[in-house]
Amino acid sequence: MITTHNGPQPADFTDVRATNLAVVLRFVRAHAPCSRADIAAATGLNKTTVSSLVGELIDRRLLRETGLTEHRIGRPATMIVVDGSPYAAVGLEISTDYLAAVAVDLRGERLLTWRRSFTGQGAGSSKAVAAVATLARRAVARVRDDGREVLGINVGVPGLVDAGGVVRSATSLGWRDVGLRDDLRAALGNPDYPVAVENDANLAVLAEYRYGAHAGVANLAYLTGQAGIGAGIISDGRLLRGARGFGGEIGHLAIDPAGPTCPCGRTGCLEAVAGIGAVLRKLGHDSLVDAEIGVADVVRRAQQREPEVLAVLTQLGRDLGHGASILANLVNPEVVLLGGYYAPLAPWVIEVATAELAARTVAPQAGGARIVASTLGYNATATGGAAGVLETVDSGRLPTA
Amino acid sequence: MITTHNGPQPADFTDVRATNLAVVLRFVRAHAPCSRADIAAATGLNKTTVSSLVGELIDRRLLRETGLTEHRIGRPATMIVVDGSPYAAVGLEISTDYLAAVAVDLRGERLLTWRRSFTGQGAGSSKAVAAVATLARRAVARVRDDGREVLGINVGVPGLVDAGGVVRSATSLGWRDVGLRDDLRAALGNPDYPVAVENDANLAVLAEYRYGAHAGVANLAYLTGQAGIGAGIISDGRLLRGARGFGGEIGHLAIDPAGPTCPCGRTGCLEAVAGIGAVLRKLGHDSLVDAEIGVADVVRRAQQREPEVLAVLTQLGRDLGHGASILANLVNPEVVLLGGYYAPLAPWVIEVATAELAARTVAPQAGGARIVASTLGYNATATGGAAGVLETVDSGRLPTA
């Protein structure tokens, strides 16, 4: 069936029960507390169906009845809310210089936020798998100690991730064709919960869309500020993945043909001129291993108005504005978020970037796009991993009770 | 409500009846002939609701019962199909050198295809409105002579069109802030059918998605080959418009900083180096008024292997491959269609363009993207205009019976 309109979508006609469970679950998430009658009235599903769906969701401990009742004409109606307590979703991130873990419950409450330094560059995938598996095991144990079931694990990686959870390439980690999902499943002893792998920028923008300062903004873009630069794009309320999940690869667009050669072999890539590694090298930090320390030093020197530092950050602003303008021209976002190591540098970058964005975007006022610093810090990708797990539940793939 | 999953979408809870009418209409379009029981079984709507919905769609003459009946266990079921005969959708295009009109019925049957030359450049919007209104009136009259009601009119323009049908800017037409929708409505005497205006590339890709050689391909991009270059993008089965409808503006991305100055004031824009105007000028045709004749001449000279022509087309291939690679990296389409005047030049362009695309795309094998020539010819945008009208019906905004 062919349809491109942006209104309500048709059921996919394959699993009506799952579709309707998802509709009810999302309605309650958005409108709780509400009654079965509210759900029936709002969704058009008949009351018998709604009662059966709500019953199943209560049995699976996704919803619960409250003491609250609503006194309308007729008998009082029991009010229903999403039950946060029985489940948790775990998100992880493998970065070039740290690992992160976040767990959230079904209501989006954050249960844990961990981060530890890790030498990802040249570490090799087996070492990374072992390290992330250890972190995942600890997160799962913590969550289970609180009496929760794990809904799933979702790992963000700075690279191309295909539908099978294989990292086709991750330049900044030096990976090629790493079967991360299966390796991690094996390292975790083939657990009963699903394990997924996703591009880090996709997860970061998902976190922004669900929990960030611009949550719910239907057209949103996020630029990762790690060794590599990736874009996560929310278009009309949905994550833009593309045909094979390879969308958002902005880091190797040639923005300066006269620029430096990129490790990828191309010339003048956005990543080669504006990646945090390039910025730190220009300012005398020759390694990414302690990028956080390096960036803190750059911030300190910028606060002291060191001309060399201000010049480098001004150029960074121009380059990021150029990158943002490509997004503004092609996908017309309302907000472009600067994430990762760019966020602390934002005070010296955003004004120049905004001017460059406006100059390079065809639409007046950059099509309404604003460049802002992400507020989710270094946990954006891991938080998005957990959000991704919740999305699968929201789409009707419910945990088996 | 926040959701980004790509499975079945929730109803938007505002107009359940319209949503369900749309679900039934799209199901019948995809699965006709089918019975009321089939629809109920597939959509999860209860049979009473389905009968009432089908009844309304029959009353509005969008569906009709066939003589066919399906003999299952129990009494025979009357089979239902989409009724093509009562309605028509009209699409139009305003180009720099022609006007086009297409009408299709609810089943997608083409009812008329007209094209006339028109000097759009510098003609001024009032002259264009008068000319397109005349063409629209004739198309509407023809459709009504066949006893059909007009579902709506949708006009494609090579420029930025906002949600109010105002053309914010159309460089190749020399327009700025033209209230085309309202002007056209007025010129048509404020008709009872809706009048819409949309970017030409968006409509062209909609036509490809619905009727083209790659219909149904969920991630699809289209490059217009007119005086300007625009991209139409279908992402995961939906038209990518962006926050203000300004997505797909690929024509003024700087692909060659050492290149010529663009009428837009920027340097090395894709349009300035690879627009059909630039190609014709390089080959001694100094005007776009007879672009079709010019392109036919270029084709003839290319067939005769004129080195100068082959060199220009090779460079065109490189530049279009570069443009396609930006789409491949950011939105990862399966197919990039070369439309308009690029289609006849495709035999001398595609091989070079494909190599450039592969070289500049991060994902292996260009993320699976192929560059192909559009087969819809000069009617793609007008056909997409009609398709756009049908989309609004498919989304539940039904004609008032």
Side-chain angles (χ1 to χ4, degrees), chain A residues 166-209:
Chain A
V166 176
V167 181
R168 298 299 305 276
S169 83
T171 324
S172 60
L173 294 171
W175 292 8
R176 183 160 290 283
D177 297 320
V178 173
L180 183 60
R181 188 188 63 191
D182 294 347
D183 293 355
L184 187 56
R185 278 189 53 76
L188 292 170
N190 299 308
D192 51 5
Y193 49 77
V195 174
V197 179
E198 175 65 271
N199 171 269
D200 61 346
N202 288 355
L203 293 184
V205 78
L206 203 51
E208 292 287 352
Y209 185 55

Side-chain angles (χ1 to χ4, degrees), chain B residues 19-47:
Chain B
T19 303
N20 291 337
L21 285 166
V23 168
V24 170
L25 184 58
R26 283 196 302 268
F27 180 79
V28 176
R29 181 190 296 291
H31 299 85
C34 57
S35 69
R36 290 171 175 79
D38 298 333
I39 299 169
T43 60
L45 298 163
N46 68 66
K47 289 184 180 177

Side-chain angles (χ1 to χ4, degrees), chain A residues 3 9 237 243-244 249 329 332, chain B residues 3 9 237 243-244 249 329 332:
Chain A
T3 171
Q9 298 287 300
R244 299 188 179 181
E249 286 301 319
N329 280 308
N332 185 208
Chain B
T3 171
Q9 298 287 298
R244 298 188 180 181
E249 286 300 319
N329 281 309
N332 186 28

Side-chain angles (χ1 to χ4, degrees), chain A:
Chain A
M1 169 170 17
I2 297 175
T3 171
T4 62
H5 72 85
N6 295 335
Q9 298 287 300
D12 68 0
F13 305 128
T14 55
D15 186 346
V16 178
R17 181 80 179 176
T19 304
N20 290 336
L21 285 166
V23 167
V24 170
L25 184 59
R26 282 196 302 269
F27 180 80
V28 176
R29 181 189 297 291
H31 299 86
C34 57
S35 69
R36 290 171 175 79
D38 298 333
I39 300 167
T43 60
L45 298 163
N46 69 66
K47 289 184 181 176
T48 324
T49 309
V50 168
S51 294
S52 148
L53 294 166
V54 168
E56 179 170 350
L57 291 167
I58 288 173
D59 293 343
R60 297 200 187 196
R61 304 169 61 208
L62 297 164
L63 300 182
R64 62 180 175 81
E65 292 185 330
T66 65
L68 278 170
T69 57
E70 185 182 50
H71 290 283
R72 291 227 193 85
I73 298 88
R75 57 187 166 80
T78 309
M79 303 303 275
I80 296 157
V81 294
V82 172
D83 189 351
S85 56
Y87 297 103
V90 177
L92 296 144
E93 177 181 9
I94 302 174
S95 169
T96 48
D97 56 340
Y98 65 81
L99 300 176
V102 167
V104 304
D105 73 13
L106 212 55
R107 280 190 319 237
E109 296 298 320
R110 195 169 292 212
L111 304 173
L112 66 84
T113 305
W114 293 339
R115 195 154 152 270
R116 47 159 289 195
S117 73
F118 169 74
T119 310
Q121 275 182 318
S125 62
S126 54
K127 195 163 155 235
V129 168
V132 78
T134 305
L135 192 62
R137 248 185 258 101
R138 283 180 47 216
V140 167
R142 164 69 64 87
V143 156
R144 285 180 171 161
D145 289 347
D146 302 343
R148 297 170 188 274
E149 258 180 70
V150 174
L151 287 166
I153 282 187
N154 197 353
V155 187
V157 186
L160 295 168
V161 182
D162 71 17
V166 176
V167 181
R168 298 299 305 276
S169 83
T171 324
S172 60
L173 294 171
W175 292 8
R176 183 160 290 283
D177 297 320
V178 173
L180 183 60
R181 188 188 63 191
D182 294 347
D183 293 355
L184 187 56
R185 278 189 53 76
L188 292 170
N190 299 308
D192 51 5
Y193 49 77
V195 174
V197 179
E198 175 65 271
N199 171 269
D200 61 346
N202 288 355
L203 293 184
V205 78
L206 203 51
E208 292 287 352
Y209 185 55
R210 213 166 160 137
Y211 306 120
H214 303 274
V217 171
N219 294 277
L220 199 60
Y222 180 101
L223 285 176
T224 61
Q226 304 291 345
I229 303 176
I233 301 166
I234 298 279
S235 176
D236 191 28
R238 304 198 305 179
L239 183 60
L240 189 154
R241 281 196 174 87
R244 299 188 179 181
F246 298 158
E249 286 301 319
I250 198 171
H252 298 281
L253 296 184
I255 69 158
D256 179 10
T261 304
C262 182
C264 77
R266 301 178 186 85
T267 303
C269 297
L270 178 61
E271 198 166 294
V273 299
I276 202 69
V279 171
L280 289 175
R281 271 190 305 277
K282 286 184 201 170
L283 294 172
H285 294 267
D286 60 353
S287 154
L288 258 170
V289 177
D290 52 8
E292 195 166 355
I293 296 159
V295 168
D297 174 65
V298 171
V299 167
R300 187 184 47 75
R301 288 162 65 188
Q303 284 162 339
Q304 290 162 3
R305 315 199 142 287
E306 266 187 44
E308 183 199 7
V309 173
L310 296 181
V312 167
L313 294 182
T314 298
Q315 185 56 46
L316 174 63
R318 272 193 216 100
D319 295 331
L320 292 180
H322 187 165
S325 73
I326 297 170
L327 293 169
N329 280 308
L330 288 188
V331 301
N332 185 208
E334 291 163 74
V335 176
V336 179
L337 292 140
L338 301 183
Y341 292 120
Y342 292 143
L345 301 176
W348 298 276
V349 163
I350 283 182
E351 193 177 334
V352 182
T354 300
E356 190 76 13
L357 169 68
R360 289 181 175 273
T361 304
V362 173
Q365 297 90 41
R370 291 175 296 133
I371 300 178
V372 302
S374 166
T375 52
L376 294 180
Y378 301 114
N379 303 305
T381 291
T383 304
V389 172
L390 297 183
E391 297 288 352
T392 65
V393 175
D394 277 0
S395 68
R397 270 152 283 155
L398 305 185
T400 46

Side-chain angles (χ1 to χ4, degrees), chain A residues 330, chain B residues 221 223 231 233 250 322-333 336:
Chain A
L330 288 188
Chain B
L223 285 175
I233 300 165
I250 197 171
H322 187 165
S325 74
I326 298 171
L327 293 170
N329 281 309
L330 288 188
V331 301
N332 186 28
V336 178

Side-chain angles (χ1 to χ4, degrees), chain B residues 367-394:
Chain B
R370 292 175 298 132
I371 300 178
V372 303
S374 168
T375 53
L376 294 179
Y378 302 114
N379 303 305
T381 292
T383 303
V389 172
L390 297 183
E391 296 289 351
T392 65
V393 175
D394 277 359

